[in-house]
Amino acid sequence: MEKIVKPDAEWKAQLTKQQYEVMRKHGTERAFTGEYHATKDPGMYECAGCGLPLFSSEAKFDSGTGWPSFFQPVSKENVAEKEDSSWFMKRTEVLCARCDAHLGHVFDDGPNPTGLRYCMNSASLKLKKA
């Protein structure tokens, strides 16, 4: 997959202030405040930065955490993972594989069939409704 690389000024111009803070500065939105945490509309959740398909609404579930949660991405190739040791704990950060946008984190306390919980920020996603 060809990477999308832009100067910081271009990302700032393209994204909202919240999207920039979350996606480019590895921030997070407060629980239960994001646009998609309770959305049940069918469709495809794409990267808000580059449009890469990331998660299907069919893999979305209510984790009770206040963030949109999915048990698997549409393709493992579309998400990248890296160790995150911030906040005095070890977590696995999830990034868009094409533009390196911070999406959220993945945990091993999700439902079947994967047992994973991809806990994403709404600010990093754009729902393309079916």
Side-chain angles (χ1 to χ4, degrees), residues 80-101:
E81 297 179 3
K82 76 175 195 176
E83 186 175 304
D84 176 4
S85 297
S86 64
W87 295 94
F88 306 105
M89 64 179 106
K90 283 192 178 185
R91 301 180 291 174
T92 302
E93 180 182 14
V94 180
L95 305 155
C96 173
R98 185 160 61 189
C99 72
D100 288 330

Side-chain angles (χ1 to χ4, degrees), residues 14-104:
Q14 175 186 336
L15 304 170
T16 67
K17 184 177 179 181
Q18 183 183 33
Q19 286 175 321
Y20 178 79
E21 189 60 35
V22 170
M23 298 172 71
R24 307 315 307 175
K25 296 299 181 184
H26 304 267
T28 191
E29 57 202 13
R30 288 188 349 260
F32 301 101
T33 64
E35 180 180 1
Y36 301 124
H37 85 273
T39 300
K40 296 183 183 344
D41 296 332
M44 183 64 63
Y45 289 87
E46 299 176 341
C47 175
C50 71
L52 183 67
L54 299 170
F55 300 95
S56 168
S57 61
E58 294 175 11
K60 191 171 188 285
F61 68 99
D62 183 1
S63 65
T65 62
W67 287 277
S69 297
F70 306 86
F71 59 79
Q72 68 186 16
V74 292
S75 170
K76 281 295 257 182
E77 290 77 33
N78 290 12
V79 296
E81 297 179 3
K82 76 175 195 176
E83 186 175 304
D84 176 4
S85 297
S86 64
W87 295 94
F88 306 105
M89 64 179 106
K90 283 192 178 185
R91 301 180 291 174
T92 302
E93 180 182 14
V94 180
L95 305 155
C96 173
R98 185 160 61 189
C99 72
D100 288 330
H102 170 75
L103 304 173

Side-chain angles (χ1 to χ4, degrees), residues 3-19:
K3 288 278 193 184
I4 293 176
V5 179
K6 296 180 184 182
D8 203 45
E10 275 189 52
W11 286 119
K12 276 186 175 178
Q14 175 186 336
L15 304 170
T16 67
K17 184 177 179 181
Q18 183 183 33
Q19 286 175 321

